[in-house]
Amino acid sequence: MSTVVAQALHVFGLRSHVANNIFFFDEQIIIFPSGNHCVKYNLDQKWQKFIPGSDKSQGMLALSISPNRRYLAISETVLERPTITIYELSSIPCRKRKVLNNFDFQVQKFVSMAFSPDSKYLLTQTSPPESNLVYWLWEKQKVMAIIRSDVQNNPIYQVSINPQDNTQVCVTGNGIFKLLRFAEGTLKQTNFQRGESPNYLAHAWVSDDKIIVGTDTGRLFLFESGDPRWETNIMVKEPTSSRSLEIIHESESLIEFPPPSSPDPSFEQVVATTYTHHMSMPQVFAIAAYSKGFACSAGPGRVLLFEKVEEKDVYRESREIRIPTDPQSSDPSQSDKQDVLCLCFSPSEETLIASTSKNQLYSITMSLTEISKGEPAHFEYLLYPLHSASITGLATCIRKPLIATCSLDRSVRIWNYESNTLELFKEYQEEAYTISLHPSGHFIVVGFADKLRLMNLLIDDIRPFKEYSVRGCKECAFSNGGHLFAAVNGNVIHIFTTTSLENITNLKGHTGKIRSLVWNLDDSKLISAGTDGAVYEWNLSTGKRETECVLKSCSYNSVTVSPDAKVIFAVGSDQTLKEIADSLILREISAFDVIYTAITISHSGRMMFVGTSVGTIRAMKYPLPLQKEFNEYQAHASPITKMMLTFDDQFLLTVAEDGCLFTWRVFDKDGRGIKREREVGFAEEVLVTKTDMEEKAQVMLELKTRVEELKMENEYQLRLKDMNYSEKIKELTDKFIQEMESLKTKNQVLKTEKEKQDIHHRERIEQLLDKQSRELQDIECCNNQKLLLEYEKYQELQLKSQRMQEEYEKQLRDNDETKSQALEELTEFYEAKLQEKTTLLEEAQEDVRQQLREFEETKKQIEEDEDREIQDIKTKYERKLRDEKESNLRLKGETGIMRKKFSSLQKEIEERTNDIEILKAEQMKLQGVIKSLEKDIQGLKREIQERDETIQDKEKRIYDLKKKNQELEKFKFVLDYKIKELKKQIEPRENEIKVMKEQIQEERDLEALVRRFKTDLHNCVAYIQEPRLLKEKIRALFEKYVQRADMVEIAGLNSDLQQEYARQREHLERNLATLKKKVVKEGELHRTDYVRIMQENVSLIKEINELRRELKLTRSQIYDLESALKLSKKTRPQEAPETALTKDMASVSPTMRLSEQEETGRIIEMQRLEIRRLRDQIQEQAQVPGFHTIAGVRLPSLADSDVDFEVHSK
């Protein structure tokens, strides 16, 4: 590979016909296509980063960015095959994530793409005739579904996925509006078109199921779930009217429109017939949705903002934004007539960007649209005005970092490649074919279709100063020294001098059109190449050809010469690079199946660059290699027309038919051939005409006079202010003297009040001391009576414990006697029973023997039955015997229990003795309590003082509570209404509770029945030793509690009861859970309200404290002034006039003093009332359930504030 490297630095241009060609990466970075790159441009820092297209790409067709801003999909055609490349934007530099280029279906190109909301799926639309809509799982390169969008070969303009639903898809085109849903591996249409099918150009999702669609006739439709809901026509009036746009809202609902067959004409038909000759329908090429509504293009150079009407599914026009007219245009009235092809809002919706059909980018801040009420707002250039057609000419200079370009869009532009800005720009009536920039950077020569013009580059204008009648000049070039320039007219080269501006010679010899000119380094020779296959080297001193090389089979596109002027390099249509010296082709290097369209060589002679017909550039080192040793870079999307290196070999400049200008930084990795740094920096001089200087001087003089006038006016104003301030100072000093006098009198009044309060306080203390002594005597009497009562109780308890001890001893003796008697009786009873059983058994055996003897004949027949009966009887008696043994064991257990009871009774006796000891300890405690009560008496005396103070506060609060009572009555009315509503809600629950109570009553009845059954069963157990009575009791028990119907249904009934009980319990638990949630929510609401009120109260307390501080400061200042006044009186006792004046003022001051005193008293009273009201509010909020007072937040008492006031006044 070659060691010559080129890095893309900056691009000036936009490819507007790429679908979806502008969008935001974040708030400051935008992405747009330019050449064969996607450009990331930072709006604040002005840097560019490039995402190059695929190798051998023939141009981008569509772009799409994922909603999470992580992925960028680019649709391209690579080697006649469609390709979708997905880049990961978050990586630096951006890397390819996936390439989709193997398809199982017919496809020519992808015209529109869209990512799903979760960025996992990609929707793509192919061009007719296939018109396939493909739904991809792009990470796995898997086609999830494919469907043919249209069968009539109509163009499809846009596809999109619902921003809230991965499975819902929208497709619009000529006569096509389809909503599809992805389900079970297929895309199924969910809407059906009715009636006419307009040409739908663009659409946007405004909510989950609503889409705005625009047509080529200026109609906007709102579809909800595929059904039309609203429609608007955008009408463009003729330029004679005051407003160029008028929006006619036909109806808020399409249901009100009569069908096309209706005899009554609709409003739409009336408008169409009335204004057919006066109006033209604009085309809606772009729609972008935002939070308040949407923006749409509305004809050439106009964008409309629509906002949603509240509580209705309709939109109204809110703003109009226009593209401004360009004063540098040849026809300013038509400069804004460009279609808006794409709209995009920034993520914060602060900025709207628009791209137009003339390759321009515009932006507007949304806040500006709100300011300009009534008048339409205007866009501004996002970057700078760009070329909108093929760039035909390129030039640079030595003394300034300038690039000059001309284009078929009839404009000439001067760029600065150091600051990456547009310096000058002007449009003309004719197309510009070629341009050359003088080495000084002050002049340009431009070849137009009608003339060749030599022009000055002024500070703010490009102004011609010489014209030559050279028609259709396709090539021109200044010499390296700038004293000559050459211009081509067909097959003739005209040489002009820049000093006298005369034509000094004409070079004739070419038979075809000349395509390229180049000067050698010392300007002694000129090399030309043309379509006739000839390369000539001209000697300017003689005006004759020195060398020539003709190859008729090749049409040359570009030519350059080595720095030593010995070798000429030419490229042409035969796909080779030719090295020519001394009229001979030394070498031909293949271009490998592309045509070279431009060539340039560095001033060092070590680096060579060529441009191709597919828009790429190739960097190779010189001498040229025989093999394929070069670096190829993606640059433009069309053939490169011109390329050039700057004078210092640092930058490569390329332009192409796609209207883009690229700047590249170039260097040789080996370090050879790099020019040394510039000894002299770039020139900063500019050309200015004398008339412009005179105008500016005149303006400066006017401004200076204006400044002088303003100075005089300001000085006068300052003098007036000084006078006013001096008068105010006098007034304030007088006022303070009067206040000091009033404060003196106030101080005297306060002293007298203080003496009165001291006397009152002493009387109050004497009364309290008397009261305390009386209460102390009463409390001592009460305590003595209580002690006597406690002693009597103690005596009674002691007697009671002795009696209980005697009773327990008697019970123990009785229990021992009863136990021995019961044991003897039980043994006798069971022995008698055993004898009876043995006699019965013997008798039964004798009966069996007799039966055996009597029935020997029938023995065989009934032998089995007899054996069974014998066995049953045996088991029966064995069971009875076992029961007897068990009852014996039970009686033994009962005797053990009686022993345990005896031991427990002994323990209780011990516990009683412990109780006696505890009572003694309590007696000691009571004595301690008497001492503590004495201490409480002292505390109560202190509380009496505090209570007296609180009584005064309570009386003051009564008045506020009365007011609050009135407000509460109002609240009562509201709460009564709420209680009625709650009662309505409670009634169904009360019914449920009633049903549940009945069920609980039934369950209680069942429990009572079970209890009765248990008691009857225990009664039966008493007859366990008497089988006949036991049998009768059990039969009676069965007849009492069991019925015939219950015997059959009892099992099912129990299960039903259990199910019903479980169901009712579950229902009650659910109700309880919902009620708990409601209580929690209401508690949280009350808590937030309480916190808010407490915060307000805290802020008010802070304000009150600040006011108190300010009052304290003012009082200290008054005290200082008062002391100063006393000193002044001592120092000046003899000034009789002044004393007379003070007497006069003293006679006047009482009225002033009284008014100020009343005013301050009124202010203090108002503040007290406000503090009381706030305290009452806090207490009321504290009483509300769910609220809790905040610890540490407490208002200072009014009494404390009064004391502070008295201290400060002293």
Side-chain angles (χ1 to χ4, degrees):
M1 297 299 288
S2 172
T3 58
V4 179
V5 178
Q7 293 177 346
L9 277 185
H10 205 86
V11 64
F12 304 91
L14 169 73
R15 292 197 61 212
S16 61
H17 292 285
V18 175
N20 194 17
N21 54 38
I22 183 82
F23 35 75
F24 278 87
F25 174 64
D26 58 27
E27 197 63 38
Q28 299 301 328
I29 297 174
I30 60 169
I31 298 177
F32 60 89
S34 185
N36 203 26
H37 292 257
C38 274
V39 183
K40 287 173 73 176
Y41 179 71
N42 190 299
L43 298 173
D44 283 346
Q45 301 173 11
K46 309 295 182 188
W47 53 253
Q48 289 186 352
K49 291 181 182 176
F50 294 89
I51 305 169
S54 303
D55 292 340
K56 299 180 181 177
S57 170
Q58 294 166 291
M60 298 178 185
L61 300 170
L63 303 178
S64 180
I65 191 169
S66 62
N68 60 8
R69 303 289 196 276
R70 285 189 62 191
Y71 306 109
L72 173 68
I74 302 175
S75 167
E76 302 172 283
T77 304
V78 180
L79 297 174
E80 305 297 331
R81 289 185 61 192
T83 302
I84 295 173
T85 310
I86 297 165
Y87 291 87
E88 191 169 350
L89 295 173
S90 55
S91 62
I92 300 174
C94 299
R95 64 181 181 87
K96 289 184 182 179
R97 183 68 179 266
K98 280 285 179 291
V99 179
L100 310 177
N101 54 10
N102 294 321
F103 309 111
D104 299 333
F105 48 87
Q106 290 291 324
V107 56
Q108 290 184 0
K109 58 184 179 181
F110 292 97
V111 295
S112 183
M113 301 182 293
F115 277 96
S116 63
D118 58 3
S119 306
K120 291 182 180 178
Y121 300 95
L122 181 68
L123 184 69
T124 59
Q125 176 64 52
T126 67
S127 61
E130 297 87 7
S131 298
N132 286 322
L133 182 67
V134 190
Y135 194 74
W136 298 83
L137 181 62
W138 62 268
E139 291 253 22
K140 297 182 179 178
Q141 300 183 356
K142 182 181 176 182
V143 176
M144 303 298 290
I146 185 169
I147 190 172
R148 191 167 181 185
S149 303
D150 184 55
V151 294
Q152 298 177 352
N153 294 337
N154 288 322
I156 294 170
Y157 302 115
Q158 187 182 353
V159 297
S160 66
I161 300 177
N162 188 330
Q164 307 295 329
D165 186 359
N166 282 348
T167 61
Q168 196 170 11
V169 171
C170 180
V171 182
T172 52
N174 191 357
I176 301 164
F177 173 71
K178 290 186 178 180
L179 287 174
L180 302 101
R181 187 170 287 280
F182 174 71
E184 299 176 357
T186 58
L187 286 165
K188 296 178 182 178
Q189 187 172 351
T190 58
N191 72 317
F192 298 97
Q193 292 176 263
R194 303 181 185 88
E196 60 175 342
S197 298
N199 186 4
Y200 297 109
L201 296 179
H203 71 264
W205 295 84
V206 292
S207 68
D208 296 350
D209 55 353
K210 293 176 185 174
I211 308 174
I212 287 286
V213 187
T215 69
D216 61 347
T217 57
R219 297 172 72 185
L220 291 172
F221 296 93
L222 175 66
F223 290 93
E224 184 177 0
S225 302
D227 298 324
R229 289 284 180 266
W230 173 76
E231 181 182 346
T232 293
N233 267 10
I234 304 170
M235 295 294 182
V236 179
K237 290 188 176 181
E238 289 184 349
T240 54
S241 63
S242 60
R243 282 195 68 192
S244 59
L245 279 184
E246 181 183 355
I247 308 302
I248 299 171
H249 300 279
E250 295 176 0
S251 174
E252 291 186 355
S253 173
L254 288 179
I255 298 163
E256 296 176 8
F257 276 83
S261 59
S262 173
D264 299 324
S266 67
F267 186 68
E268 178 189 6
Q269 294 164 352
V270 172
V271 169
T273 54
T274 309
Y275 296 99
T276 304
H277 303 292
H278 299 286
M279 298 185 183
S280 61
M281 297 291 185
Q283 294 182 324
V284 182
F285 285 109
I287 302 175
Y290 70 113
S291 58
K292 292 181 181 178
F294 64 91
C296 69
S297 61
R302 288 172 177 82
V303 172
L304 294 180
L305 294 179
F306 284 83
E307 291 183 0
K308 188 175 180 182
V309 178
E310 292 181 3
E311 300 178 357
K312 292 183 182 178
D313 288 335
V314 297
Y315 292 83
R316 60 176 178 80
E317 182 205 351
S318 59
R319 294 286 179 275
E320 179 184 354
I321 310 170
R322 298 186 189 178
I323 292 173
T325 56
D326 197 335
Q328 301 295 331
S329 173
S330 57
D331 187 2
S333 63
Q334 295 298 316
S335 63
D336 59 337
K337 300 295 188 290
Q338 41 187 319
D339 290 320
V340 177
L341 299 182
C342 188
L343 293 168
C344 180
F345 284 97
S346 64
S348 65
E349 298 181 356
E350 184 62 27
T351 308
L352 173 64
I353 290 183
S355 66
T356 69
S357 57
K358 289 188 178 180
N359 294 357
Q360 304 300 326
L361 286 173
Y362 293 96
S363 72
I364 190 168
T365 306
M366 292 301 289
S367 56
L368 293 176
T369 62
E370 294 175 2
I371 293 166
S372 58
K373 300 220 171 182
E375 292 297 322
H378 287 87
F379 282 107
E380 294 177 350
Y381 281 111
L382 180 68
L383 308 170
Y384 19 68
L386 303 170
H387 282 295
S388 60
S390 172
I391 299 174
T392 54
L394 173 70
T396 185
C397 64
I398 299 169
R399 291 287 294 125
K400 291 186 177 184
L402 298 181
I403 308 167
T405 57
C406 64
S407 170
L408 296 180
D409 61 5
R410 303 176 181 178
S411 70
V412 173
R413 297 168 201 260
I414 309 298
W415 313 86
N416 188 317
Y417 63 80
E418 196 173 51
S419 62
N420 295 323
T421 55
L422 180 68
E423 296 273 333
L424 291 171
F425 151 61
K426 196 162 187 181
E427 282 191 10
Y428 298 90
Q429 298 289 336
E430 301 293 332
E431 291 179 346
Y433 297 129
T434 182
I435 192 169
S436 184
L437 188 58
H438 191 271
S440 66
H442 293 308
F443 317 106
I444 57 170
V445 60
V446 186
F448 289 96
D450 57 346
K451 287 182 181 180
L452 178 72
R453 292 181 173 86
L454 194 63
M455 296 188 263
N456 282 325
L457 298 180
L458 303 179
I459 190 169
D460 55 0
D461 194 12
I462 303 172
R463 202 169 292 172
F465 64 91
K466 179 67 177 175
E467 293 183 350
Y468 301 95
S469 58
V470 179
R471 295 177 64 82
C473 176
K474 295 293 178 76
E475 285 296 324
C476 68
F478 274 103
S479 63
N480 292 315
H483 61 292
L484 301 172
F485 68 90
V488 173
N489 184 9
N491 55 6
V492 179
I493 302 170
H494 302 282
I495 306 296
F496 298 90
T497 176
T498 56
T499 52
S500 62
L501 306 178
E502 292 177 356
N503 184 2
I504 56 172
T505 183
N506 296 322
L507 306 176
K508 298 179 181 178
H510 281 281
T511 57
K513 290 183 178 179
I514 298 167
R515 298 288 297 278
S516 182
L517 289 176
V518 64
W519 297 82
N520 71 342
L521 198 60
D522 59 1
D523 295 336
S524 61
K525 293 176 184 178
L526 180 70
I527 296 94
S528 64
T531 58
D532 55 359
V535 176
Y536 295 146
E537 186 177 357
W538 306 86
N539 190 323
L540 293 179
S541 59
T542 61
K544 294 181 180 179
R545 285 179 291 192
E546 280 197 353
T547 62
E548 60 182 50
C549 179
V550 180
L551 187 65
K552 301 222 172 180
S553 62
C554 177
S555 174
Y556 287 109
N557 295 322
S558 182
V559 68
T560 190
V561 64
S562 63
D564 57 4
K566 290 181 180 178
V567 183
I568 299 168
F569 304 95
V571 292
S573 60
D574 60 351
Q575 299 183 357
T576 58
L577 166 61
K578 295 179 178 60
E579 196 174 342
I580 302 167
D582 297 329
S583 303
L584 296 172
I585 299 172
L586 298 180
R587 278 198 300 173
E588 285 191 5
I589 296 151
S590 172
F592 303 99
D593 300 328
V594 295
I595 297 171
Y596 288 146
T597 56
I599 186 169
T600 187
I601 191 168
S602 66
H603 296 87
S604 65
R606 297 292 183 183
M607 298 183 292
M608 184 177 287
F609 301 91
V610 290
T612 67
S613 58
V614 294
T616 60
I617 62 168
R618 291 179 178 178
M620 53 190 77
K621 64 182 178 180
Y622 186 78
L624 296 170
L626 294 172
Q627 290 83 14
K628 191 177 180 180
E629 289 186 12
F630 55 79
N631 292 327
E632 188 165 9
Y633 300 97
Q634 295 295 320
H636 296 272
S638 300
I640 292 173
T641 54
K642 299 285 179 185
M643 64 192 310
M644 186 176 287
L645 280 159
T646 57
F647 183 72
D648 55 3
D649 287 345
Q650 296 293 313
F651 301 100
L652 173 69
L653 315 172
T654 60
V655 294
E657 292 178 8
D658 59 3
C660 297
L661 163 64
F662 274 85
T663 62
W664 307 75
R665 184 180 292 280
V666 294
F667 56 90
D668 189 348
K669 283 184 180 176
D670 294 342
R672 297 176 302 165
I674 296 176
K675 296 275 286 182
R676 66 183 184 275
E677 291 185 4
R678 299 176 63 92
E679 294 178 0
V680 181
F682 288 121
E684 295 182 356
E685 299 84 10
V686 292
L687 294 179
V688 182
T689 61
K690 190 176 180 181
T691 54
D692 290 344
M693 286 293 291
E694 288 172 353
E695 286 175 4
K696 285 180 181 176
Q698 184 65 33
V699 170
M700 284 173 69
L701 281 170
E702 290 174 1
L703 289 169
K704 279 181 181 177
T705 54
R706 180 67 181 151
V707 167
E708 292 294 330
E709 289 172 3
L710 287 169
K711 277 184 181 177
M712 295 288 288
E713 193 174 343
N714 284 332
E715 286 175 0
Y716 176 69
Q717 292 292 334
L718 284 168
R719 284 197 206 96
L720 285 175
K721 283 181 181 177
D722 287 338
M723 291 169 68
N724 289 329
Y725 286 142
S726 61
E727 289 175 2
K728 283 182 181 176
I729 287 164
K730 279 184 182 180
E731 289 175 2
L732 285 168
T733 52
D734 295 340
K735 188 177 178 183
F736 277 125
I737 289 164
Q738 290 174 4
E739 285 179 356
M740 284 164 68
E741 292 295 329
S742 65
L743 286 167
K744 278 182 185 178
T745 54
K746 193 173 182 181
N747 195 7
Q748 292 294 329
V749 172
L750 289 168
K751 279 181 182 177
T752 54
E753 285 181 0
K754 187 206 169 208
E755 289 171 358
K756 288 177 184 177
Q757 284 180 359
D758 287 338
I759 293 161
H760 179 70
H761 184 62
R762 288 193 204 98
E763 292 173 355
R764 183 76 176 156
I765 286 166
E766 288 173 359
Q767 290 174 3
L768 288 168
L769 287 169
D770 295 337
K771 192 176 180 182
Q772 183 191 357
S773 61
R774 285 196 299 274
E775 286 178 354
L776 189 65
Q777 289 173 2
D778 295 340
I779 288 164
E780 283 177 355
C781 295
C782 291
N783 284 333
N784 291 328
Q785 289 174 2
K786 283 180 182 177
L787 279 170
L788 290 169
L789 289 169
E790 291 294 331
Y791 183 72
E792 288 173 0
K793 282 181 184 176
Y794 172 67
Q795 293 292 333
E796 287 174 2
L797 285 168
Q798 201 168 7
L799 292 169
K800 193 176 179 183
S801 63
Q802 287 175 2
R803 270 191 245 106
M804 284 174 73
Q805 195 169 358
E806 291 171 359
E807 285 174 3
Y808 285 137
E809 286 174 357
K810 284 179 186 176
Q811 284 179 5
L812 281 169
R813 285 194 294 273
D814 295 339
N815 284 331
D816 288 335
E817 291 173 0
T818 51
K819 179 193 167 188
S820 59
Q821 289 175 2
L823 279 169
E824 289 173 359
E825 287 173 0
L826 283 168
T827 50
E828 289 173 1
F829 176 71
Y830 284 117
E831 283 174 358
K833 273 199 170 185
L834 276 169
Q835 288 175 1
E836 287 175 4
K837 297 291 178 188
T838 50
T839 54
L840 286 168
L841 197 96
E842 288 173 359
E843 288 173 1
Q845 286 175 355
E846 287 175 2
D847 290 337
V848 169
R849 288 191 202 99
Q850 287 175 4
Q851 284 175 4
L852 285 169
R853 291 189 204 101
E854 289 173 0
F855 303 104
E856 284 179 0
E857 294 176 2
T858 58
K859 183 181 178 181
K860 292 177 183 178
Q861 296 175 3
I862 61 169
E863 191 174 5
E864 292 177 0
D865 296 335
E866 288 296 329
D867 289 338
R868 198 179 296 114
E869 284 178 5
I870 290 162
Q871 190 65 31
D872 291 338
I873 291 163
K874 188 180 177 182
T875 53
K876 184 178 177 183
Y877 285 114
E878 283 176 354
R879 197 181 297 116
K880 284 182 180 179
L881 199 123
R882 203 182 301 120
D883 292 338
E884 295 297 335
K885 285 178 181 178
E886 285 175 0
S887 63
N888 196 0
L889 287 168
R890 199 181 299 116
L891 286 167
K892 286 178 181 178
E894 285 177 359
T895 55
I897 289 162
M898 295 301 288
R899 282 182 190 142
K900 285 178 184 177
K901 281 184 180 179
F902 177 71
S903 63
S904 65
L905 285 167
Q906 283 181 340
K907 285 179 184 177
E908 282 183 6
I909 290 160
E910 290 174 359
E911 285 174 0
R912 293 298 175 191
T913 56
N914 291 331
D915 289 340
I916 289 160
E917 290 175 358
I918 289 162
L919 285 167
K920 287 177 181 177
E922 281 181 359
Q923 186 180 1
M924 297 295 291
K925 283 181 186 176
L926 284 167
Q927 289 175 356
V929 168
I930 289 161
K931 291 177 182 176
S932 65
L933 284 168
E934 288 174 355
K935 291 178 183 177
D936 290 340
I937 288 161
Q938 295 175 356
L940 286 166
K941 288 174 184 177
R942 288 192 212 100
E943 279 183 8
I944 287 159
Q945 293 176 355
E946 291 176 0
R947 290 285 169 85
D948 290 332
E949 290 172 359
T950 52
I951 286 160
Q952 293 176 358
D953 292 333
K954 296 283 182 183
E955 286 174 354
K956 290 173 185 175
R957 286 179 192 169
I958 287 163
Y959 175 74
D960 295 329
L961 287 168
K962 285 178 181 176
K963 284 187 178 178
K964 202 70 184 178
N965 194 14
Q966 292 174 357
E967 292 177 0
L968 287 169
E969 284 176 357
K970 294 175 186 175
F971 284 122
K972 185 186 172 187
F973 176 76
V974 177
L975 290 169
D976 287 336
Y977 178 74
K978 287 185 179 178
I979 288 160
K980 287 176 184 175
E981 289 183 346
L982 288 169
K983 280 180 179 176
K984 290 177 185 176
Q985 293 175 5
I986 288 163
E987 281 176 2
R989 290 182 185 170
E990 284 179 348
N991 294 331
E992 289 176 1
I993 289 161
K994 196 184 288 181
V995 172
M996 296 302 291
K997 280 180 179 177
E998 290 173 2
Q999 290 176 359
I1000 289 160
Q1001 188 62 40
E1002 289 175 1
E1003 287 173 5
R1004 285 176 182 165
D1005 294 339
L1006 279 169
E1007 286 174 2
L1009 187 68
V1010 169
R1011 263 190 243 107
R1012 287 199 301 274
F1013 179 78
K1014 280 181 180 178
T1015 53
D1016 292 340
L1017 191 64
H1018 282 299
N1019 294 332
C1020 288
V1021 170
Y1023 301 100
I1024 198 162
Q1025 301 299 331
E1026 297 174 12
R1028 268 170 274 153
L1029 289 170
L1030 184 67
K1031 189 176 180 181
E1032 289 173 3
K1033 291 287 181 185
I1034 287 167
R1035 187 179 287 119
L1037 195 68
F1038 181 83
E1039 287 173 358
K1040 184 178 179 181
Y1041 290 100
V1042 180
Q1043 298 176 0
R1044 294 291 179 187
D1046 292 342
M1047 288 172 68
V1048 181
E1049 296 176 1
I1050 190 157
L1053 202 106
N1054 287 334
S1055 62
D1056 290 339
L1057 280 169
Q1058 287 174 358
Q1059 287 176 3
E1060 183 65 18
Y1061 177 75
R1063 188 179 65 78
Q1064 294 292 341
R1065 183 179 175 184
E1066 189 179 356
H1067 176 69
L1068 287 167
E1069 284 174 353
R1070 278 202 301 271
N1071 287 342
L1072 187 66
T1074 53
L1075 287 167
K1076 280 180 180 176
K1077 285 178 184 175
K1078 282 183 181 178
V1079 167
V1080 170
K1081 282 183 183 176
E1082 287 175 359
E1084 287 175 355
L1085 288 170
H1086 286 304
R1087 199 173 295 110
T1088 52
D1089 289 339
Y1090 177 70
V1091 168
R1092 179 177 57 76
I1093 289 162
M1094 286 304 300
Q1095 288 171 353
E1096 290 174 359
N1097 290 342
V1098 168
S1099 63
L1100 286 167
I1101 289 162
K1102 286 179 181 176
E1103 287 178 6
I1104 289 160
N1105 290 330
E1106 284 172 2
L1107 286 167
R1108 283 174 177 165
R1109 278 191 226 105
E1110 287 175 6
L1111 193 63
K1112 188 176 178 181
L1113 283 169
T1114 52
R1115 283 170 180 158
S1116 63
Q1117 287 173 4
I1118 289 160
Y1119 180 79
D1120 293 337
L1121 286 167
E1122 194 175 17
S1123 62
L1125 192 67
K1126 285 176 182 176
L1127 285 169
S1128 63
K1129 283 181 181 179
K1130 284 177 184 178
T1131 52
R1132 291 183 294 177
Q1134 276 114 28
E1135 292 179 2
E1138 288 182 6
T1139 53
L1141 184 65
T1142 52
K1143 283 177 183 177
D1144 295 335
M1145 287 180 73
S1147 62
V1148 176
S1149 61
T1151 54
M1152 295 290 288
R1153 196 183 306 136
L1154 284 170
S1155 61
E1156 286 172 357
Q1157 190 174 359
E1158 286 172 0
E1159 190 175 355
T1160 51
R1162 200 180 303 117
I1163 289 164
I1164 291 162
E1165 188 63 31
M1166 285 168 67
Q1167 288 179 353
R1168 282 179 183 168
L1169 290 170
E1170 183 65 18
I1171 291 161
R1172 284 181 195 134
R1173 188 181 64 78
L1174 291 169
R1175 278 187 178 139
D1176 295 337
Q1177 270 190 352
I1178 291 163
Q1179 288 176 357
E1180 287 168 6
Q1181 293 294 338
Q1183 290 169 6
V1184 174
F1187 284 87
H1188 302 285
T1189 56
I1190 297 169
V1193 179
R1194 186 169 173 267
L1195 283 170
S1197 65
L1198 283 170
D1200 294 340
S1201 62
D1202 291 339
V1203 171
D1204 290 340
F1205 179 74
E1206 288 170 8
V1207 170
H1208 290 306
S1209 63
K1210 288 175 190 175

